[in-house]
mmCIF file with all atom_site columns, all heavy atoms in Angstrom:
data_model
loop_
_atom_site.group_PDB
_atom_site.id
_atom_site.type_symbol
_atom_site.label_atom_id
_atom_site.label_alt_id
_atom_site.label_comp_id
_atom_site.label_asym_id
_atom_site.label_entity_id
_atom_site.label_seq_id
_atom_site.pdbx_PDB_ins_code
_atom_site.Cartn_x
_atom_site.Cartn_y
_atom_site.Cartn_z
_atom_site.occupancy
_atom_site.B_iso_or_equiv
_atom_site.pdbx_formal_charge
_atom_site.auth_seq_id
_atom_site.auth_comp_id
_atom_site.auth_asym_id
_atom_site.auth_atom_id
_atom_site.pdbx_PDB_model_num
ATOM 1   N N   . LEU A 1 1  ? -12.494 8.184  -13.019 1.00 89.00 ? 297 LEU A N   1
ATOM 2   C CA  . LEU A 1 1  ? -12.589 6.719  -12.787 1.00 89.00 ? 297 LEU A CA  1
ATOM 3   C C   . LEU A 1 1  ? -11.199 6.052  -12.758 1.00 89.00 ? 297 LEU A C   1
ATOM 4   O O   . LEU A 1 1  ? -10.910 5.281  -11.884 1.00 89.00 ? 297 LEU A O   1
ATOM 5   C CB  . LEU A 1 1  ? -13.439 6.101  -13.899 1.00 89.00 ? 297 LEU A CB  1
ATOM 6   C CG  . LEU A 1 1  ? -14.943 6.462  -13.891 1.00 89.00 ? 297 LEU A CG  1
ATOM 7   C CD1 . LEU A 1 1  ? -15.617 5.848  -15.081 1.00 89.00 ? 297 LEU A CD1 1
ATOM 8   C CD2 . LEU A 1 1  ? -15.587 6.074  -12.607 1.00 89.00 ? 297 LEU A CD2 1
ATOM 9   N N   . ILE A 1 2  ? -10.337 6.462  -13.705 1.00 88.00 ? 298 ILE A N   1
ATOM 10  C CA  . ILE A 1 2  ? -8.970  5.828  -13.727 1.00 88.00 ? 298 ILE A CA  1
ATOM 11  C C   . ILE A 1 2  ? -8.190  6.309  -12.535 1.00 88.00 ? 298 ILE A C   1
ATOM 12  O O   . ILE A 1 2  ? -7.438  5.543  -11.934 1.00 88.00 ? 298 ILE A O   1
ATOM 13  C CB  . ILE A 1 2  ? -8.282  6.205  -15.030 1.00 88.00 ? 298 ILE A CB  1
ATOM 14  C CG1 . ILE A 1 2  ? -9.006  5.528  -16.199 1.00 88.00 ? 298 ILE A CG1 1
ATOM 15  C CG2 . ILE A 1 2  ? -6.811  5.786  -15.013 1.00 88.00 ? 298 ILE A CG2 1
ATOM 16  C CD1 . ILE A 1 2  ? -8.416  5.819  -17.569 1.00 88.00 ? 298 ILE A CD1 1
ATOM 17  N N   . SER A 1 3  ? -8.326  7.588  -12.137 1.00 86.00 ? 299 SER A N   1
ATOM 18  C CA  . SER A 1 3  ? -7.589  8.086  -10.981 1.00 86.00 ? 299 SER A CA  1
ATOM 19  C C   . SER A 1 3  ? -7.992  7.313  -9.730  1.00 86.00 ? 299 SER A C   1
ATOM 20  O O   . SER A 1 3  ? -7.131  6.948  -8.896  1.00 86.00 ? 299 SER A O   1
ATOM 21  C CB  . SER A 1 3  ? -7.906  9.586  -10.790 1.00 86.00 ? 299 SER A CB  1
ATOM 22  O OG  . SER A 1 3  ? -7.368  10.301 -11.841 1.00 86.00 ? 299 SER A OG  1
ATOM 23  N N   . LEU A 1 4  ? -9.296  7.117  -9.545  1.00 88.00 ? 300 LEU A N   1
ATOM 24  C CA  . LEU A 1 4  ? -9.765  6.373  -8.376  1.00 88.00 ? 300 LEU A CA  1
ATOM 25  C C   . LEU A 1 4  ? -9.278  4.936  -8.336  1.00 88.00 ? 300 LEU A C   1
ATOM 26  O O   . LEU A 1 4  ? -8.843  4.407  -7.305  1.00 88.00 ? 300 LEU A O   1
ATOM 27  C CB  . LEU A 1 4  ? -11.319 6.367  -8.321  1.00 88.00 ? 300 LEU A CB  1
ATOM 28  C CG  . LEU A 1 4  ? -11.956 7.739  -7.962  1.00 88.00 ? 300 LEU A CG  1
ATOM 29  C CD1 . LEU A 1 4  ? -13.495 7.635  -8.126  1.00 88.00 ? 300 LEU A CD1 1
ATOM 30  C CD2 . LEU A 1 4  ? -11.604 8.107  -6.536  1.00 88.00 ? 300 LEU A CD2 1
ATOM 31  N N   . TYR A 1 5  ? -9.301  4.301  -9.511  1.00 88.00 ? 301 TYR A N   1
ATOM 32  C CA  . TYR A 1 5  ? -8.863  2.905  -9.592  1.00 88.00 ? 301 TYR A CA  1
ATOM 33  C C   . TYR A 1 5  ? -7.406  2.761  -9.216  1.00 88.00 ? 301 TYR A C   1
ATOM 34  O O   . TYR A 1 5  ? -7.039  1.943  -8.364  1.00 88.00 ? 301 TYR A O   1
ATOM 35  C CB  . TYR A 1 5  ? -9.126  2.387  -11.030 1.00 88.00 ? 301 TYR A CB  1
ATOM 36  C CG  . TYR A 1 5  ? -8.542  1.010  -11.265 1.00 88.00 ? 301 TYR A CG  1
ATOM 37  C CD1 . TYR A 1 5  ? -9.186  -0.120 -10.752 1.00 88.00 ? 301 TYR A CD1 1
ATOM 38  C CD2 . TYR A 1 5  ? -7.421  0.817  -12.004 1.00 88.00 ? 301 TYR A CD2 1
ATOM 39  C CE1 . TYR A 1 5  ? -8.695  -1.378 -10.955 1.00 88.00 ? 301 TYR A CE1 1
ATOM 40  C CE2 . TYR A 1 5  ? -6.912  -0.500 -12.213 1.00 88.00 ? 301 TYR A CE2 1
ATOM 41  C CZ  . TYR A 1 5  ? -7.564  -1.569 -11.722 1.00 88.00 ? 301 TYR A CZ  1
ATOM 42  O OH  . TYR A 1 5  ? -7.054  -2.841 -11.928 1.00 88.00 ? 301 TYR A OH  1
ATOM 43  N N   . PHE A 1 6  ? -6.528  3.565  -9.846  1.00 87.00 ? 302 PHE A N   1
ATOM 44  C CA  . PHE A 1 6  ? -5.124  3.437  -9.550  1.00 87.00 ? 302 PHE A CA  1
ATOM 45  C C   . PHE A 1 6  ? -4.732  4.029  -8.157  1.00 87.00 ? 302 PHE A C   1
ATOM 46  O O   . PHE A 1 6  ? -3.774  3.598  -7.579  1.00 87.00 ? 302 PHE A O   1
ATOM 47  C CB  . PHE A 1 6  ? -4.278  4.151  -10.661 1.00 87.00 ? 302 PHE A CB  1
ATOM 48  C CG  . PHE A 1 6  ? -4.131  3.300  -11.870 1.00 87.00 ? 302 PHE A CG  1
ATOM 49  C CD1 . PHE A 1 6  ? -4.964  3.492  -12.958 1.00 87.00 ? 302 PHE A CD1 1
ATOM 50  C CD2 . PHE A 1 6  ? -3.140  2.316  -11.918 1.00 87.00 ? 302 PHE A CD2 1
ATOM 51  C CE1 . PHE A 1 6  ? -4.830  2.700  -14.079 1.00 87.00 ? 302 PHE A CE1 1
ATOM 52  C CE2 . PHE A 1 6  ? -2.984  1.543  -13.055 1.00 87.00 ? 302 PHE A CE2 1
ATOM 53  C CZ  . PHE A 1 6  ? -3.842  1.728  -14.129 1.00 87.00 ? 302 PHE A CZ  1
ATOM 54  N N   . LEU A 1 7  ? -5.549  4.953  -7.669  1.00 88.00 ? 303 LEU A N   1
ATOM 55  C CA  . LEU A 1 7  ? -5.324  5.465  -6.323  1.00 88.00 ? 303 LEU A CA  1
ATOM 56  C C   . LEU A 1 7  ? -5.546  4.380  -5.288  1.00 88.00 ? 303 LEU A C   1
ATOM 57  O O   . LEU A 1 7  ? -4.800  4.227  -4.322  1.00 88.00 ? 303 LEU A O   1
ATOM 58  C CB  . LEU A 1 7  ? -6.208  6.689  -6.052  1.00 88.00 ? 303 LEU A CB  1
ATOM 59  C CG  . LEU A 1 7  ? -5.979  7.350  -4.718  1.00 88.00 ? 303 LEU A CG  1
ATOM 60  C CD1 . LEU A 1 7  ? -4.550  7.831  -4.583  1.00 88.00 ? 303 LEU A CD1 1
ATOM 61  C CD2 . LEU A 1 7  ? -6.947  8.510  -4.529  1.00 88.00 ? 303 LEU A CD2 1
ATOM 62  N N   . VAL A 1 8  ? -6.621  3.628  -5.471  1.00 89.00 ? 304 VAL A N   1
ATOM 63  C CA  . VAL A 1 8  ? -6.896  2.477  -4.549  1.00 89.00 ? 304 VAL A CA  1
ATOM 64  C C   . VAL A 1 8  ? -5.761  1.465  -4.560  1.00 89.00 ? 304 VAL A C   1
ATOM 65  O O   . VAL A 1 8  ? -5.320  0.989  -3.556  1.00 89.00 ? 304 VAL A O   1
ATOM 66  C CB  . VAL A 1 8  ? -8.232  1.789  -4.932  1.00 89.00 ? 304 VAL A CB  1
ATOM 67  C CG1 . VAL A 1 8  ? -8.416  0.485  -4.141  1.00 89.00 ? 304 VAL A CG1 1
ATOM 68  C CG2 . VAL A 1 8  ? -9.416  2.706  -4.642  1.00 89.00 ? 304 VAL A CG2 1
ATOM 69  N N   . LEU A 1 9  ? -5.280  1.140  -5.768  1.00 90.00 ? 305 LEU A N   1
ATOM 70  C CA  . LEU A 1 9  ? -4.119  0.238  -5.887  1.00 90.00 ? 305 LEU A CA  1
ATOM 71  C C   . LEU A 1 9  ? -2.878  0.821  -5.197  1.00 90.00 ? 305 LEU A C   1
ATOM 72  O O   . LEU A 1 9  ? -2.167  0.130  -4.539  1.00 90.00 ? 305 LEU A O   1
ATOM 73  C CB  . LEU A 1 9  ? -3.819  -0.039 -7.360  1.00 90.00 ? 305 LEU A CB  1
ATOM 74  C CG  . LEU A 1 9  ? -4.799  -0.904 -8.138  1.00 90.00 ? 305 LEU A CG  1
ATOM 75  C CD1 . LEU A 1 9  ? -4.351  -1.022 -9.556  1.00 90.00 ? 305 LEU A CD1 1
ATOM 76  C CD2 . LEU A 1 9  ? -4.988  -2.263 -7.489  1.00 90.00 ? 305 LEU A CD2 1
ATOM 77  N N   . GLY A 1 10 ? -2.672  2.127  -5.430  1.00 89.00 ? 306 GLY A N   1
ATOM 78  C CA  . GLY A 1 10 ? -1.490  2.779  -4.820  1.00 89.00 ? 306 GLY A CA  1
ATOM 79  C C   . GLY A 1 10 ? -1.557  2.795  -3.311  1.00 89.00 ? 306 GLY A C   1
ATOM 80  O O   . GLY A 1 10 ? -0.548  2.566  -2.645  1.00 89.00 ? 306 GLY A O   1
ATOM 81  N N   . ILE A 1 11 ? -2.729  3.061  -2.776  1.00 92.00 ? 307 ILE A N   1
ATOM 82  C CA  . ILE A 1 11 ? -2.924  3.047  -1.299  1.00 92.00 ? 307 ILE A CA  1
ATOM 83  C C   . ILE A 1 11 ? -2.629  1.669  -0.709  1.00 92.00 ? 307 ILE A C   1
ATOM 84  O O   . ILE A 1 11 ? -1.922  1.540  0.326   1.00 92.00 ? 307 ILE A O   1
ATOM 85  C CB  . ILE A 1 11 ? -4.347  3.503  -0.911  1.00 92.00 ? 307 ILE A CB  1
ATOM 86  C CG1 . ILE A 1 11 ? -4.506  5.010  -1.160  1.00 92.00 ? 307 ILE A CG1 1
ATOM 87  C CG2 . ILE A 1 11 ? -4.641  3.204  0.570   1.00 92.00 ? 307 ILE A CG2 1
ATOM 88  C CD1 . ILE A 1 11 ? -5.937  5.508  -0.966  1.00 92.00 ? 307 ILE A CD1 1
ATOM 89  N N   . TYR A 1 12 ? -3.142  0.611  -1.391  1.00 91.00 ? 308 TYR A N   1
ATOM 90  C CA  . TYR A 1 12 ? -2.871  -0.749 -0.938  1.00 91.00 ? 308 TYR A CA  1
ATOM 91  C C   . TYR A 1 12 ? -1.385  -1.064 -0.983  1.00 91.00 ? 308 TYR A C   1
ATOM 92  O O   . TYR A 1 12 ? -0.825  -1.630 -0.084  1.00 91.00 ? 308 TYR A O   1
ATOM 93  C CB  . TYR A 1 12 ? -3.642  -1.754 -1.758  1.00 91.00 ? 308 TYR A CB  1
ATOM 94  C CG  . TYR A 1 12 ? -3.295  -3.187 -1.423  1.00 91.00 ? 308 TYR A CG  1
ATOM 95  C CD1 . TYR A 1 12 ? -3.770  -3.790 -0.315  1.00 91.00 ? 308 TYR A CD1 1
ATOM 96  C CD2 . TYR A 1 12 ? -2.326  -3.897 -2.231  1.00 91.00 ? 308 TYR A CD2 1
ATOM 97  C CE1 . TYR A 1 12 ? -3.390  -5.086 0.073   1.00 91.00 ? 308 TYR A CE1 1
ATOM 98  C CE2 . TYR A 1 12 ? -1.966  -5.150 -1.899  1.00 91.00 ? 308 TYR A CE2 1
ATOM 99  C CZ  . TYR A 1 12 ? -2.475  -5.773 -0.739  1.00 91.00 ? 308 TYR A CZ  1
ATOM 100 O OH  . TYR A 1 12 ? -2.079  -7.071 -0.427  1.00 91.00 ? 308 TYR A OH  1
ATOM 101 N N   . CYS A 1 13 ? -0.712  -0.680 -2.082  1.00 91.00 ? 309 CYS A N   1
ATOM 102 C CA  . CYS A 1 13 ? 0.706   -0.990 -2.229  1.00 91.00 ? 309 CYS A CA  1
ATOM 103 C C   . CYS A 1 13 ? 1.557   -0.245 -1.191  1.00 91.00 ? 309 CYS A C   1
ATOM 104 O O   . CYS A 1 13 ? 2.441   -0.850 -0.620  1.00 91.00 ? 309 CYS A O   1
ATOM 105 C CB  . CYS A 1 13 ? 1.207   -0.621 -3.657  1.00 91.00 ? 309 CYS A CB  1
ATOM 106 S SG  . CYS A 1 13 ? 0.535   -1.635 -4.953  1.00 91.00 ? 309 CYS A SG  1
ATOM 107 N N   . LEU A 1 14 ? 1.221   1.021  -0.903  1.00 92.00 ? 310 LEU A N   1
ATOM 108 C CA  . LEU A 1 14 ? 1.933   1.756  0.067   1.00 92.00 ? 310 LEU A CA  1
ATOM 109 C C   . LEU A 1 14 ? 1.718   1.179  1.450   1.00 92.00 ? 310 LEU A C   1
ATOM 110 O O   . LEU A 1 14 ? 2.585   1.040  2.290   1.00 92.00 ? 310 LEU A O   1
ATOM 111 C CB  . LEU A 1 14 ? 1.458   3.220  0.064   1.00 92.00 ? 310 LEU A CB  1
ATOM 112 C CG  . LEU A 1 14 ? 2.207   4.178  1.025   1.00 92.00 ? 310 LEU A CG  1
ATOM 113 C CD1 . LEU A 1 14 ? 3.706   4.190  0.748   1.00 92.00 ? 310 LEU A CD1 1
ATOM 114 C CD2 . LEU A 1 14 ? 1.632   5.578  0.920   1.00 92.00 ? 310 LEU A CD2 1
ATOM 115 N N   . LYS A 1 15 ? 0.437   0.786  1.729   1.00 92.00 ? 311 LYS A N   1
ATOM 116 C CA  . LYS A 1 15 ? 0.123   0.088  2.991   1.00 92.00 ? 311 LYS A CA  1
ATOM 117 C C   . LYS A 1 15 ? 0.949   -1.179 3.166   1.00 92.00 ? 311 LYS A C   1
ATOM 118 O O   . LYS A 1 15 ? 1.427   -1.484 4.294   1.00 92.00 ? 311 LYS A O   1
ATOM 119 C CB  . LYS A 1 15 ? -1.371  -0.183 3.061   1.00 92.00 ? 311 LYS A CB  1
ATOM 120 C CG  . LYS A 1 15 ? -1.811  -1.201 4.100   1.00 92.00 ? 311 LYS A CG  1
ATOM 121 C CD  . LYS A 1 15 ? -2.076  -2.559 3.495   1.00 92.00 ? 311 LYS A CD  1
ATOM 122 C CE  . LYS A 1 15 ? -2.357  -3.607 4.509   1.00 92.00 ? 311 LYS A CE  1
ATOM 123 N NZ  . LYS A 1 15 ? -2.423  -4.981 3.957   1.00 92.00 ? 311 LYS A NZ  1
ATOM 124 N N   . PHE A 1 16 ? 1.100   -1.947 2.076   1.00 90.00 ? 312 PHE A N   1
ATOM 125 C CA  . PHE A 1 16 ? 1.860   -3.186 2.141   1.00 90.00 ? 312 PHE A CA  1
ATOM 126 C C   . PHE A 1 16 ? 3.284   -2.966 2.602   1.00 90.00 ? 312 PHE A C   1
ATOM 127 O O   . PHE A 1 16 ? 3.774   -3.744 3.463   1.00 90.00 ? 312 PHE A O   1
ATOM 128 C CB  . PHE A 1 16 ? 1.872   -3.783 0.666   1.00 90.00 ? 312 PHE A CB  1
ATOM 129 C CG  . PHE A 1 16 ? 2.679   -5.061 0.570   1.00 90.00 ? 312 PHE A CG  1
ATOM 130 C CD1 . PHE A 1 16 ? 2.148   -6.277 0.891   1.00 90.00 ? 312 PHE A CD1 1
ATOM 131 C CD2 . PHE A 1 16 ? 3.998   -5.001 0.154   1.00 90.00 ? 312 PHE A CD2 1
ATOM 132 C CE1 . PHE A 1 16 ? 2.879   -7.427 0.755   1.00 90.00 ? 312 PHE A CE1 1
ATOM 133 C CE2 . PHE A 1 16 ? 4.773   -6.157 0.034   1.00 90.00 ? 312 PHE A CE2 1
ATOM 134 C CZ  . PHE A 1 16 ? 4.198   -7.384 0.372   1.00 90.00 ? 312 PHE A CZ  1
ATOM 135 N N   . TYR A 1 17 ? 3.947   -1.890 2.160   1.00 89.00 ? 313 TYR A N   1
ATOM 136 C CA  . TYR A 1 17 ? 5.340   -1.679 2.563   1.00 89.00 ? 313 TYR A CA  1
ATOM 137 C C   . TYR A 1 17 ? 5.418   -1.072 3.978   1.00 89.00 ? 313 TYR A C   1
ATOM 138 O O   . TYR A 1 17 ? 6.424   -1.275 4.696   1.00 89.00 ? 313 TYR A O   1
ATOM 139 C CB  . TYR A 1 17 ? 6.019   -0.793 1.518   1.00 89.00 ? 313 TYR A CB  1
ATOM 140 C CG  . TYR A 1 17 ? 6.169   -1.570 0.223   1.00 89.00 ? 313 TYR A CG  1
ATOM 141 C CD1 . TYR A 1 17 ? 5.458   -1.184 -0.912  1.00 89.00 ? 313 TYR A CD1 1
ATOM 142 C CD2 . TYR A 1 17 ? 7.005   -2.639 0.128   1.00 89.00 ? 313 TYR A CD2 1
ATOM 143 C CE1 . TYR A 1 17 ? 5.531   -1.876 -2.094  1.00 89.00 ? 313 TYR A CE1 1
ATOM 144 C CE2 . TYR A 1 17 ? 7.091   -3.348 -1.041  1.00 89.00 ? 313 TYR A CE2 1
ATOM 145 C CZ  . TYR A 1 17 ? 6.377   -2.956 -2.151  1.00 89.00 ? 313 TYR A CZ  1
ATOM 146 O OH  . TYR A 1 17 ? 6.474   -3.675 -3.310  1.00 89.00 ? 313 TYR A OH  1
ATOM 147 N N   . ILE A 1 18 ? 4.408   -0.286 4.371   1.00 91.00 ? 314 ILE A N   1
ATOM 148 C CA  . ILE A 1 18 ? 4.384   0.197  5.752   1.00 91.00 ? 314 ILE A CA  1
ATOM 149 C C   . ILE A 1 18 ? 4.273   -1.011 6.683   1.00 91.00 ? 314 ILE A C   1
ATOM 150 O O   . ILE A 1 18 ? 4.937   -1.069 7.733   1.00 91.00 ? 314 ILE A O   1
ATOM 151 C CB  . ILE A 1 18 ? 3.212   1.211  5.948   1.00 91.00 ? 314 ILE A CB  1
ATOM 152 C CG1 . ILE A 1 18 ? 3.469   2.459  5.121   1.00 91.00 ? 314 ILE A CG1 1
ATOM 153 C CG2 . ILE A 1 18 ? 3.092   1.558  7.418   1.00 91.00 ? 314 ILE A CG2 1
ATOM 154 C CD1 . ILE A 1 18 ? 2.304   3.408  5.120   1.00 91.00 ? 314 ILE A CD1 1
ATOM 155 N N   . VAL A 1 19 ? 3.353   -1.941 6.393   1.00 90.00 ? 315 VAL A N   1
ATOM 156 C CA  . VAL A 1 19 ? 3.230   -3.143 7.250   1.00 90.00 ? 315 VAL A CA  1
ATOM 157 C C   . VAL A 1 19 ? 4.503   -3.949 7.246   1.00 90.00 ? 315 VAL A C   1
ATOM 158 O O   . VAL A 1 19 ? 4.915   -4.504 8.245   1.00 90.00 ? 315 VAL A O   1
ATOM 159 C CB  . VAL A 1 19 ? 2.047   -3.992 6.763   1.00 90.00 ? 315 VAL A CB  1
ATOM 160 C CG1 . VAL A 1 19 ? 1.993   -5.359 7.463   1.00 90.00 ? 315 VAL A CG1 1
ATOM 161 C CG2 . VAL A 1 19 ? 0.687   -3.267 6.995   1.00 90.00 ? 315 VAL A CG2 1
ATOM 162 N N   . ALA A 1 20 ? 5.152   -4.093 6.089   1.00 86.00 ? 316 ALA A N   1
ATOM 163 C CA  . ALA A 1 20 ? 6.383   -4.849 6.014   1.00 86.00 ? 316 ALA A CA  1
ATOM 164 C C   . ALA A 1 20 ? 7.452   -4.220 6.949   1.00 86.00 ? 316 ALA A C   1
ATOM 165 O O   . ALA A 1 20 ? 8.246   -4.922 7.603   1.00 86.00 ? 316 ALA A O   1
ATOM 166 C CB  . ALA A 1 20 ? 6.912   -4.881 4.570   1.00 86.00 ? 316 ALA A CB  1
ATOM 167 N N   . PHE A 1 21 ? 7.463   -2.881 6.971   1.00 85.00 ? 317 PHE A N   1
ATOM 168 C CA  . PHE A 1 21 ? 8.420   -2.160 7.853   1.00 85.00 ? 317 PHE A CA  1
ATOM 169 C C   . PHE A 1 21 ? 8.066   -2.473 9.335   1.00 85.00 ? 317 PHE A C   1
ATOM 170 O O   . PHE A 1 21 ? 8.988   -2.739 10.139  1.00 85.00 ? 317 PHE A O   1
ATOM 171 C CB  . PHE A 1 21 ? 8.393   -0.661 7.594   1.00 85.00 ? 317 PHE A CB  1
ATOM 172 C CG  . PHE A 1 21 ? 9.183   0.131  8.583   1.00 85.00 ? 317 PHE A CG  1
ATOM 173 C CD1 . PHE A 1 21 ? 10.558  0.179  8.520   1.00 85.00 ? 317 PHE A CD1 1
ATOM 174 C CD2 . PHE A 1 21 ? 8.534   0.836  9.575   1.00 85.00 ? 317 PHE A CD2 1
ATOM 175 C CE1 . PHE A 1 21 ? 11.313  0.889  9.432   1.00 85.00 ? 317 PHE A CE1 1
ATOM 176 C CE2 . PHE A 1 21 ? 9.253   1.568  10.493  1.00 85.00 ? 317 PHE A CE2 1
ATOM 177 C CZ  . PHE A 1 21 ? 10.645  1.607  10.429  1.00 85.00 ? 317 PHE A CZ  1
ATOM 178 N N   . PHE A 1 22 ? 6.802   -2.411 9.664   1.00 88.00 ? 318 PHE A N   1
ATOM 179 C CA  . PHE A 1 22 ? 6.367   -2.735 11.046  1.00 88.00 ? 318 PHE A CA  1
ATOM 180 C C   . PHE A 1 22 ? 6.838   -4.140 11.466  1.00 88.00 ? 318 PHE A C   1
ATOM 181 O O   . PHE A 1 22 ? 7.281   -4.326 12.594  1.00 88.00 ? 318 PHE A O   1
ATOM 182 C CB  . PHE A 1 22 ? 4.839   -2.627 11.182  1.00 88.00 ? 318 PHE A CB  1
ATOM 183 C CG  . PHE A 1 22 ? 4.304   -1.217 11.147  1.00 88.00 ? 318 PHE A CG  1
ATOM 184 C CD1 . PHE A 1 22 ? 2.968   -0.985 10.776  1.00 88.00 ? 318 PHE A CD1 1
ATOM 185 C CD2 . PHE A 1 22 ? 5.083   -0.158 11.474  1.00 88.00 ? 318 PHE A CD2 1
ATOM 186 C CE1 . PHE A 1 22 ? 2.485   0.310  10.770  1.00 88.00 ? 318 PHE A CE1 1
ATOM 187 C CE2 . PHE A 1 22 ? 4.594   1.162  11.483  1.00 88.00 ? 318 PHE A CE2 1
ATOM 188 C CZ  . PHE A 1 22 ? 3.262   1.323  11.134  1.00 88.00 ? 318 PHE A CZ  1
ATOM 189 N N   . LYS A 1 23 ? 6.677   -5.076 10.552  1.00 84.00 ? 319 LYS A N   1
ATOM 190 C CA  . LYS A 1 23 ? 7.065   -6.459 10.892  1.00 84.00 ? 319 LYS A CA  1
ATOM 191 C C   . LYS A 1 23 ? 8.583   -6.612 11.089  1.00 84.00 ? 319 LYS A C   1
ATOM 192 O O   . LYS A 1 23 ? 8.948   -7.341 11.981  1.00 84.00 ? 319 LYS A O   1
ATOM 193 C CB  . LYS A 1 23 ? 6.539   -7.359 9.765   1.00 84.00 ? 319 LYS A CB  1
ATOM 194 C CG  . LYS A 1 23 ? 5.046   -7.533 9.695   1.00 84.00 ? 319 LYS A CG  1
ATOM 195 C CD  . LYS A 1 23 ? 4.640   -8.498 8.592   1.00 84.00 ? 319 LYS A CD  1
ATOM 196 C CE  . LYS A 1 23 ? 3.096   -8.664 8.607   1.00 84.00 ? 319 LYS A CE  1
ATOM 197 N NZ  . LYS A 1 23 ? 2.644   -9.565 7.498   1.00 84.00 ? 319 LYS A NZ  1
ATOM 198 N N   . THR A 1 24 ? 9.366   -5.945 10.261  1.00 81.00 ? 320 THR A N   1
ATOM 199 C CA  . THR A 1 24 ? 10.832  -6.106 10.445  1.00 81.00 ? 320 THR A CA  1
ATOM 200 C C   . THR A 1 24 ? 11.264  -5.429 11.764  1.00 81.00 ? 320 THR A C   1
ATOM 201 O O   . THR A 1 24 ? 12.272  -5.836 12.328  1.00 81.00 ? 320 THR A O   1
ATOM 202 C CB  . THR A 1 24 ? 11.549  -5.480 9.274   1.00 81.00 ? 320 THR A CB  1
ATOM 203 O OG1 . THR A 1 24 ? 11.241  -4.081 9.146   1.00 81.00 ? 320 THR A OG1 1
ATOM 204 C CG2 . THR A 1 24 ? 11.281  -6.208 7.978   1.00 81.00 ? 320 THR A CG2 1
ATOM 205 N N   . GLN A 1 25 ? 10.532  -4.400 12.205  1.00 82.00 ? 321 GLN A N   1
ATOM 206 C CA  . GLN A 1 25 ? 10.934  -3.700 13.418  1.00 82.00 ? 321 GLN A CA  1
ATOM 207 C C   . GLN A 1 25 ? 10.162  -4.210 14.659  1.00 82.00 ? 321 GLN A C   1
ATOM 208 O O   . GLN A 1 25 ? 10.305  -3.664 15.739  1.00 82.00 ? 321 GLN A O   1
ATOM 209 C CB  . GLN A 1 25 ? 10.648  -2.215 13.261  1.00 82.00 ? 321 GLN A CB  1
ATOM 210 C CG  . GLN A 1 25 ? 11.370  -1.564 12.094  1.00 82.00 ? 321 GLN A CG  1
ATOM 211 C CD  . GLN A 1 25 ? 12.887  -1.636 12.262  1.00 82.00 ? 321 GLN A CD  1
ATOM 212 O OE1 . GLN A 1 25 ? 13.445  -1.408 13.336  1.00 82.00 ? 321 GLN A OE1 1
ATOM 213 N NE2 . GLN A 1 25 ? 13.577  -2.050 11.189  1.00 82.00 ? 321 GLN A NE2 1
ATOM 214 N N   . SER A 1 26 ? 9.307   -5.235 14.410  1.00 82.00 ? 322 SER A N   1
ATOM 215 C CA  . SER A 1 26 ? 8.494   -5.817 15.502  1.00 82.00 ? 322 SER A CA  1
ATOM 216 C C   . SER A 1 26 ? 7.646   -4.784 16.169  1.00 82.00 ? 322 SER A C   1
ATOM 217 O O   . SER A 1 26 ? 7.522   -4.708 17.437  1.00 82.00 ? 322 SER A O   1
ATOM 218 C CB  . SER A 1 26 ? 9.396   -6.514 16.529  1.00 82.00 ? 322 SER A CB  1
ATOM 219 O OG  . SER A 1 26 ? 10.147  -7.533 15.910  1.00 82.00 ? 322 SER A OG  1
#
């Protein structure tokens, strides 16, 4: 349960920075 919970948070956080990179590079 704890692994799933923090994994979902981790996936979202990693996605956040990938999107930020896309935006800076247009």
Side-chain angles (χ1 to χ4, degrees):
L297 294 176
I298 294 179
S299 295
L300 288 173
Y301 175 74
F302 279 97
L303 183 58
V304 170
L305 290 179
I307 289 173
Y308 173 78
C309 292
L310 185 58
K311 164 259 174 188
F312 176 85
Y313 293 110
I314 295 173
V315 170
F317 172 75
F318 287 158
K319 289 181 178 179
T320 59
Q321 301 299 314
S322 300

